[in-house]
Amino acid sequence: MGKIKVTKVKSAINRTQNQKRILESLGLKRIGQTVEHDDTPNILGMVNKVNHLVSVEETK
């Protein structure tokens, strides 16, 4: 199982409450903040819901 780096690149202002909660559950609070997660279906589903607010990079 690989790892992914998720970086918040856009603000969550004027977004739905669901998208704000997804960003919070991913551990992203500030623009430019990067977190590393396992490459699981749960995490990928959350990233897919907010893909317009984050950038994703695969790591090993």
Side-chain angles (χ1 to χ4, degrees):
M1 184 180 319
K3 297 260 188 187
I4 58 171
K5 281 187 180 179
V6 184
T7 304
K8 185 175 178 182
V9 294
K10 283 192 175 181
S11 173
I13 296 174
N14 290 334
R15 303 297 176 186
T16 64
Q17 190 66 33
N18 188 38
Q19 291 175 354
K20 291 178 183 180
R21 287 184 181 148
I22 289 172
L23 288 172
E24 186 179 323
S25 66
L26 286 171
L28 296 169
K29 295 180 181 179
R30 296 177 306 278
I31 293 176
Q33 183 178 6
T34 302
V35 293
E36 190 169 314
H37 289 287
D38 291 329
D39 192 6
T40 62
N42 292 338
I43 297 296
L44 293 177
M46 288 193 287
V47 168
N48 192 32
K49 292 280 188 176
V50 293
N51 62 356
H52 55 286
L53 302 175
V54 299
S55 69
V56 181
E57 177 183 328
E58 289 188 32
T59 60
K60 296 196 178 197

